[in-house]
Amino acid sequence: MHHGEGPTEKCGVVGVALADREAARPLYYSLYALQHRGQDSAGIVTHDGFQQHGHVEMGLVGDAFGPEDLEDLKGSAGIGHVRYPTEGGVNASCAQPFSVSFKSGALGLAHNGNLVNTGELRDELESLGHAFTSDGDTEVIAHDLARNLLDSDLIRAVKRTMGRIHGSYALTVMHDDAVLGVRDPRGNRPLCLGELEDGYVLASESAAIDTLDGELIRDVRPGELVVLESDGSGYDSYRLFEEETSAHCFFEHVYFARPDSVIDDRLVYEARRNLGRALWDESGIDTDVVMPVPDSGRAFASGYADAAGEVDADVEFAEGLMKNRYVGRTFIMPTQDERERAVRLKLNPIRSTVEGRTVTLIDDSIVRGTTSTQLVDLLRDAGAEEVHLRIGAPPIVAPCYMGIDMATREELVAADRSTEEVRAAVGADSLSYLSIDAVADAIGQSRADLCLGCVTGAYPFDVDGEETDREIDRPVTSGGEPADD
Ligand code: 5GP
Ligand code: MG
């Protein structure tokens, strides 16, 4: 990676504190609920009041833990992590939660996001005698926090570390048997708080809370630290940093999050249907059949087809592509050749819905263009008269440094092509993307509060060699003593 900041991580994190029940199972179930956020490795760290227990392994959640592993994870409080595969491929030293023992206790850390000043901090900590086992940013956070915990209480230590780390982070942390949730001052990656019958839970997405039969309380606020009571009886909140604008990742709403999750009070499924309707409003086209790219295009296509149907009652909404559910996400394939094969393996057309017809194919996004190119081709082979492509996001023109490991500029099909040139490259009869304003509108946020780096090339964080889209101060503390709210 050009700025050498270690692997980019787009992951899922969770933390629970329960009254009188082992935390391992609930953590395991919630990692299952977050499996879409990372298939590379899975891990859980618990604390039984005396010592920490951990199990971290490569692979899917279901493969990473056996019954004995869960049995060994003693204690009613813990955190968990699923990790997304990165460009560098499988790397066991980056699997999480990261744990470290030091003078003032045991620390466990699960991180979703990506720091932009890892190198700086690592150099500084190394010169102070800290030794690192991975090139990841999570370990840097852990060491910085461990260091601050030597001479301050937990809240102040977290605040000091937050003042030093820059970039995007949603963290669940264990300090001995205390479970914490922390979100960066611009709230780039999601993190929410929920209540269980006998405790509290922190998770990347509310779908994990649902899985535990819990109630979503709210999103953890940008710059907020939430500390769960170890006995599951409550939580304390400290707003440690406050920025004027947020930088929520719009791509969570478009692609990454589960449709049944609620982010910022909005159901992701509804946001995606809104995006589909907006797509029709902006670039609707006469067609015989509206067809989603499964699964990521479904909600968009249903919103689009609804809006289209209000104008033309004959428009059909059909599943024209059968998905092989046993094939994982195409991005796991490391080479372009494998990615192309994977698309073909994953999707097969249903001829009768396609043959002799004008098809509008709807997907959430175009990244490299592999999926669209292959599918347009597939639909033409299956007899489609015309294939129109409608995309529920703006063109992705720049990389993500904030934790979504999309691709480099050279790999992004829209990085140096006009929409007409992308259309020609993927071979569609027409192509339209959604405007940025429509995206902000559909997900119910102001443009100023979104991270739009991948669609504008200007970032809400200070990334080496890239432009920014706002005043960036290194985080300023909100001042005053930490207060409960
Ligand atoms: P492309 O084939 O153009 O490279 O990627 C577009 C397809 O990949 C879309 O169907 C979209 O749903 C999906 N996609 C977009 N972003 C990501 C990502 O970060 N990871 C994975 N696995 N898929 C993605
Ligand atoms: Mg897709």
Side-chain angles (χ1 to χ4, degrees):
M1 241 182 325
H2 91 266
H3 45 145
E5 302 287 30
T8 303
E9 288 167 10
K10 144 169 102 173
C11 307
V13 300
V14 60
V16 302
L18 303 170
D20 200 15
R21 173 161 69 108
E22 298 289 280
R25 286 264 161 196
L27 286 166
Y28 175 66
Y29 299 142
S30 41
L31 290 183
Y32 249 111
L34 299 176
Q35 183 77 82
H36 63 291
R37 299 187 69 88
Q39 301 91 43
D40 195 21
S41 69
I44 290 176
V45 166
T46 59
H47 200 284
D48 63 11
F50 301 99
Q51 58 170 320
Q52 201 180 71
H53 305 272
H55 181 82
V56 179
E57 212 165 289
M58 304 310 289
L60 298 171
V61 178
D63 301 324
F65 298 93
E68 346 52 75
D69 301 319
L70 294 175
E71 193 61 36
D72 291 343
L73 291 163
K74 303 282 185 217
S76 61
I79 60 172
H81 188 265
V82 285
R83 181 170 178 275
Y84 201 72
T86 61
E87 292 277 325
V90 175
N91 181 352
S93 72
C94 289
Q96 297 188 24
F98 185 83
S99 44
V100 50
S101 289
F102 61 106
K103 243 186 272 170
S104 51
L107 206 56
L109 221 105
H111 175 205
N112 174 207
N114 194 43
L115 301 189
V116 296
N117 68 334
T118 309
E120 242 171 83
L121 286 176
R122 190 191 298 110
D123 290 350
E124 189 190 324
L125 288 164
E126 273 174 345
S127 74
L128 292 167
H130 291 258
F132 291 91
T133 59
S134 75
D135 60 355
D137 48 1
T138 308
E139 190 176 2
V140 171
I141 305 175
H143 279 267
D144 198 75
L145 190 55
R147 188 178 167 72
N148 287 328
L149 279 166
L150 294 177
D151 57 12
S152 8
D153 65 41
L154 185 61
I155 315 302
R156 278 181 190 77
V158 171
K159 186 167 176 173
R160 271 163 67 180
T161 293
M162 286 173 78
R164 284 162 51 73
I165 58 179
H166 304 298
S168 99
Y169 53 91
L171 305 167
T172 52
V173 183
M174 275 211 100
H175 177 231
D176 293 333
D177 62 355
V179 174
L180 335 179
V182 183
R183 212 171 162 204
D184 73 64
R186 293 199 193 267
N188 184 244
R189 305 250 62 90
L191 186 66
C192 60
L193 171 68
E195 183 168 6
L196 306 177
E197 211 180 312
D198 57 348
Y200 288 84
V201 52
L202 292 154
S204 293
E205 290 184 37
S206 65
I209 300 172
D210 297 337
T211 303
L212 302 182
D213 286 328
E215 290 280 346
L216 171 65
I217 298 174
R218 61 174 173 81
D219 291 288
V220 174
R221 300 185 178 103
E224 185 185 13
L225 160 67
V226 173
V227 184
L228 305 186
E229 301 284 354
S230 310
D231 63 358
S233 62
Y235 67 90
D236 290 312
S237 152
Y238 308 89
R239 190 78 185 262
L240 300 180
F241 290 88
E242 235 173 307
E243 296 273 341
E244 246 157 54
T245 56
S246 298
H248 302 306
C249 170
F250 82 92
F251 212 64
E252 288 280 351
H253 302 263
V254 165
Y255 170 76
F256 205 33
R258 281 171 56 146
D260 53 336
S261 284
V262 174
I263 302 180
D264 290 316
D265 298 323
R266 189 162 297 213
L267 186 64
V268 172
Y269 181 73
E270 282 312 323
R272 287 182 191 161
R273 286 195 20 103
N274 291 344
L275 288 161
R277 289 190 147 267
L279 198 53
W280 167 263
D281 291 341
E282 284 192 352
S283 63
I285 187 167
D286 238 355
T287 194
D288 295 325
V289 55
V290 174
M291 192 176 287
V293 176
D295 297 307
S296 55
R298 278 222 175 89
F300 296 84
S302 109
Y304 182 98
D306 271 3
E310 285 163 18
V311 178
D312 170 8
D314 291 335
V315 175
E316 192 191 338
F317 174 68
E319 297 278 349
L321 294 162
M322 237 353 257
K323 181 165 177 170
N324 178 338
R325 68 174 71 237
Y326 301 99
V327 179
R329 293 185 165 195
T330 41
F331 270 47
I332 299 172
M333 309 298 149
T335 69
Q336 185 61 21
D337 193 53
E338 282 175 277
R339 270 193 286 275
E340 281 167 20
R341 163 102 9 238
V343 174
R344 197 64 189 82
L345 200 65
K346 192 157 130 181
L347 295 166
N348 200 30
I350 296 174
R351 232 190 149 84
S352 65
T353 61
V354 175
E355 202 157 19
R357 308 179 82 191
T358 304
V359 177
T360 301
L361 184 66
I362 315 249
D363 203 357
D364 64 296
S365 60
I366 297 179
V367 183
R368 296 175 171 86
T370 316
T371 307
S372 311
T373 309
Q374 299 268 312
L375 293 184
V376 169
D377 212 42
L378 220 61
L379 292 175
R380 288 203 199 284
D381 282 351
E385 285 285 305
E386 290 172 25
V387 182
H388 301 277
L389 199 56
R390 292 294 177 273
I391 302 297
I396 292 171
V397 298
C400 175
Y401 300 102
M402 268 71 247
I404 294 205
D405 187 21
M406 271 181 189
T408 61
R409 260 199 185 78
E410 301 72 64
E411 294 169 316
L412 295 168
V413 67
D416 52 6
R417 285 185 184 82
S418 66
T419 297
E420 169 52 24
E421 288 168 332
V422 176
R423 181 205 64 74
V426 302
D429 289 286
S430 77
L431 164 66
S432 292
Y433 292 95
L434 200 56
S435 69
I436 293 176
D437 287 329
V439 169
D441 230 42
I443 65 182
Q445 306 246 351
S446 93
R447 206 180 144 140
D449 287 322
L450 294 175
C451 177
L452 296 164
C454 62
V455 295
T456 62
Y459 299 85
F461 298 95
D462 208 349
V463 181
D464 269 1
E466 298 283 5
E467 284 173 38
T468 64
D469 65 359
R470 62 194 78 193
E471 271 311 302
I472 298 178
D473 291 326
R474 296 255 143 156
V476 178
T477 62
S478 56
E481 290 302 294
D484 289 9
D485 87 1

